[in-house]
């Protein structure tokens, strides 16, 4: 009798969950789990690569930065994006043209990876929900992340869950060696640069700027206090006011997750948008990061991957210094080389910016650091390293999986 009662309660909870998902009543950030599982029963995925993205639309910016390279990989090996959220999957299909499915059940995912002969599973973040795909032994699991930065999340212990990490350059390997334990970064990391810089580059917008342009791209408040690098509450208003007074145009690029965890940051974002628009400058919400890069003469940002991606432009940058005593970064050389803007100096940001744009005394040093952080930035070089690494690991997967099946006494379906 208790067993039947438990089963009944489970069915009621399941029905309630389906209704919440169907009518879009789930809390923000929770995938709806409205999967294509029934349609995928017995089916196989085309291609050799899965990108596993269980997040909701709030975090889609993390995958967008890989659309260009993934299209190239799709042409070479075939790519399917697997989501847990049907709304996110619909957006990805529309934006990227890549094959995208929604899978709600672990059993469906396990079976389709094995049945399809998937060789690689790629991940663009450390979402705990990634464990659903990480269970598979028949594929090699690769962390891509969505940028290289001196944020503490770049050296999260979660990196150990993945067979390999594709990193931007030697700086990322050195960072992991310095700030992690029991992780062989030299063996587990493969430097590929930032292939999206090859696929997503754009020219400067038509029409010359009459005034210098600063791109202000703060990060969000972070998932916990230790990664509290966001400058919106401490630097933003006086910094922008100083820039505008100095005759500088501002491109404000809000982070998509701003205010998700701490409402005060969302309020500060709204106030800054109004301040920027009132000054006749631009709030960039629908443009690509590369377009904002192309149109700016200087980058002002927090500790984030935006700083490292900016390096190939050759133009100056300033990184803010957090006032939060609980915030800790995983510092590498860049943070000791470029100017750091404190909250106390924010009101003088206009003068500092003019000096850097006009004289830029650190240009040569930044150019030296570019190879350290991103490797060879010759157009096309990073994309080729990405494609070569995927091809190499796909061949390695075939060798390893064949050995495992031999040990288990199972004939490989690919050999039959």
């Amino acid at each position: 009798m208790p067993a039947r009662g438990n089963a009944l309660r489970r069915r009621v909870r399941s029905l309630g969950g389906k209704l919440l998902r169907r009518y879009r009543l789930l809390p923000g950030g929770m995938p709806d789990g409205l999967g294509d599982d029934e349609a995928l029963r017995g089916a196989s995925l085309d291609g050799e690569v899965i990108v596993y993205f269980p997040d909701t639309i709030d975090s889609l910016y993390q995958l967008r930065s890989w659309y260009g390279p993934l299209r190239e990989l799709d042409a070479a090996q075939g790519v399917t994006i697997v989501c847990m959220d049907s709304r996110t999957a619909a957006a990805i299909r529309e934006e990227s043209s890549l094959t995208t499915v929604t899978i709600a059940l672990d059993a469906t995912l396990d079976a389709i990876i094995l049945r399809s002969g998937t060789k690689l599973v790629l991940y663009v973040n450390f979402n705990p929900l990634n464990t659903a795909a990480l269970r598979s032994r028949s594929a090699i699991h690769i962390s891509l992340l969505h940028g290289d930065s001196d944020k503490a999340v770049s050296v999260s212990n979660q990196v150990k869950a993945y067979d390999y990490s594709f990193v931007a350059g030697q700086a990322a390997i050195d960072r992991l060696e310095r700030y992690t334990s029991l992780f062989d970064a030299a063996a587990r990391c493969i430097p590929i640069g930032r292939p999206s810089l090859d696929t997503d580059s754009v020219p400067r917008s038509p029409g010359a700027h009459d005034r210098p342009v600063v791109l202000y791209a703060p990060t969000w408040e972070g998932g916990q206090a230790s990664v509290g690098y966001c400058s919106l509450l401490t630097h933003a208003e006086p910094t922008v006011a100083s820039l505008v007074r100095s005759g500088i145009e501002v491109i404000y690029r809000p982070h998509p997750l701003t205010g998700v965890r701490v409402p005060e940051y969302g309020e500060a974002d709204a106030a800054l948008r109004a301040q920027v628009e009132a000054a006749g400058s631009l709030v960039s919400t629908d443009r690509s990061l590369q377009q904002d890069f192309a149109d700016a003469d200087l980058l002002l940002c927090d500790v984030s991957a935006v700083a490292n991606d900016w390096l190939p432009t050759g133009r100056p940058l300033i990184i803010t210094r957090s006032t939060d005593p609980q915030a800790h970064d995983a510092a590498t050389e860049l943070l000791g080389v470029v100017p750091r803007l404190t909250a106390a100096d924010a009101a003088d940001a206009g003068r500092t910016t003019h000096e850097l744009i006009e004289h830029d005394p650190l240009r040569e040093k930044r150019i030296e650091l570019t190879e350290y952080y991103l490797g060879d930035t010759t157009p096309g070089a990073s994309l080729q390293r990405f494609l070569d690494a995927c091809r190499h690991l796909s061949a390695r997967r075939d060798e390893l999986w064949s050995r495992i099946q031999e040990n288990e006494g199972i004939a490989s379906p690919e050999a039959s």
Side-chain angles (χ1 to χ4, degrees), residues 261-324:
R261 187 175 70 87
V262 183
E264 288 80 2
Y265 284 92
E267 295 164 6
D269 168 53
L272 188 62
R273 292 181 189 222
Q275 180 185 2
V276 169
E277 290 173 347
S281 287
L282 175 67
V283 177
S284 176
T285 55
D286 299 320
R287 299 179 2 141
S288 70
L289 177 61
Q290 294 306 314
Q291 189 64 68
D292 288 343
F293 276 9
D295 290 348
D297 299 301
L298 179 144
L299 170 68
L300 171 61
C301 67
D302 304 330
V303 174
S304 75
V306 175
N308 298 8
D309 283 355
W310 173 263
L311 287 174
T313 70
R315 299 191 288 275
L317 75 152
I318 301 171
I319 300 176
T320 64
R321 192 180 295 278
S322 174
T323 62
D324 190 336

Side-chain angles (χ1 to χ4, degrees), residues 131-146:
T131 54
L134 280 167
R135 293 171 49 179
S136 172
R137 294 181 299 124
S138 62
I140 287 179
H141 301 269
I142 303 167
S143 168
L144 301 180
L145 293 186
H146 48 280

Side-chain angles (χ1 to χ4, degrees), residues 194-211:
R194 292 286 285 143
S196 60
L197 299 181
D198 288 334
T199 59
D200 300 352
S201 62
V202 294
R204 196 175 181 96
S205 295
H209 292 284
D210 297 328
R211 300 179 292 165

